[in-house]
Structures are given as C-alpha cells and as structure tokens.
Amino acid sequence: IIGYDTAPSAIRKANINIESANLEEYITVDRKNFFKTTKPTDNHLHIVFNPPYGERLDRRDLDSGFDVEAFYSDIGDTLKQEYPGTDAWFITSNLEALKYVGPRPSRKIKVFNSHLESRLVKYVMYKGSKKAKKNLQKE
C-alpha cells in the first residue's frame, strides 16, 4: 500500500499509525502532490481518495479561495490522463463535488463517515473512452 499526502503533519500521523500497527513492511506514505504523479505500474491499480468535503476546511482555506469543485475536477483529469486501468474510489459527503470528477461512477455505496452521510463511489478509468472500448470488444 502506498499513500500520498502533501501535508507533512498527515505524513507524520500516518507513519505513527503504521508503526503502531507494525505494518511498515506493507505500507509506505510519501509526501507527493497527486496531480504531478503517474501510475507506478502497468498492472491494474486501486486508488482510494478521502478528499476534502468542504466540511472541515480551515478558515484560511476558505479565505484563500479553495475551490472544492475545481479540486475534484483536477483529480478526475489526473486520473483520466495518468491512471488508465485503475479503479478509483472516493469517500465523500460532498455529492455535488463528485459531479466534477468527470466519468459516471460505476458504483455508489451509502456510508457514514462519523456523523456525515457520505458515499463510497467507484470510478473505472479506461485508456481512451469507455465507448471506444465497447466498440473494440464488439469487433
């Protein structure tokens, strides 16, 4: 399991939890900007996102003009361009923001994240378009 975050505090907390669970052999967490990454393997990949919902954003984030919809759109663009052959799962309570990811989700599961009604949503990333993939399978 590989995890990315840009916040040093999140990396530190994750590493403490990984060490407490004695899982250092199986899990690594790096400080990386997802938007500047590419798929690290040619094999099928599973990604899980817990993006900002717009619920716990710091006042500084709101004042600096953090745009949740643009953030979700950027995730979708990166997935489509750099992560073909990937199942991407999102957990979020911001159902409006999910519309900006791009493709239609293949699965939606109602869950609760603490007190927030949320969705665990699956997106299947194809190389090219899903329509083109179906046409190739027909030939």
Side-chain angles (χ1 to χ4, degrees):
I1 298 173
I2 300 169
Y4 299 148
D5 204 301
T6 56
S9 61
I11 301 295
R12 279 192 301 276
K13 289 175 188 175
N15 282 325
I16 289 168
N17 290 331
I18 292 165
E19 289 172 21
S20 295
N22 292 319
L23 294 173
E24 303 93 333
E25 182 179 343
Y26 306 103
I27 303 172
T28 60
V29 181
D30 295 316
R31 186 173 183 207
K32 285 190 180 179
N33 180 342
F34 171 73
F35 303 116
K36 296 179 180 177
T37 65
T38 59
K39 188 177 173 191
T41 179
D42 288 333
N43 296 330
H44 190 80
L45 185 67
H46 296 273
I47 297 178
V48 180
F49 291 91
N50 185 11
Y53 301 179
E55 294 286 333
R56 293 186 301 139
L57 289 177
D58 189 297
R59 185 79 210 144
R60 291 172 299 206
D61 294 326
L62 296 174
D63 291 343
S64 68
F66 181 79
D67 184 341
V68 174
E69 287 83 10
F71 186 74
Y72 278 67
S73 177
D74 290 346
I75 292 172
D77 290 345
T78 302
L79 285 168
K80 285 181 277 186
Q81 294 168 16
E82 304 295 340
Y83 286 84
T86 296
D87 289 346
W89 291 84
F90 288 66
I91 183 168
T92 184
S93 67
N94 191 333
L95 304 182
E96 186 65 29
L98 284 174
K99 295 176 185 176
Y100 295 90
V101 173
R104 290 185 184 266
S106 63
R107 188 133 189 236
K108 291 182 186 177
I109 302 167
K110 183 178 176 179
V111 296
F112 283 85
N113 189 1
S114 183
H115 68 284
L116 298 173
E117 183 178 315
S118 303
R119 296 293 182 277
L120 180 60
V121 182
K122 178 183 179 184
Y123 295 94
V124 178
M125 297 295 140
Y126 297 95
K127 187 169 190 167
S129 71
K130 190 173 182 180
K131 188 175 186 178
K133 183 177 175 113
K134 282 184 181 179
N135 289 336
L136 283 176
Q137 290 174 343
K138 288 180 184 178
E139 295 176 359

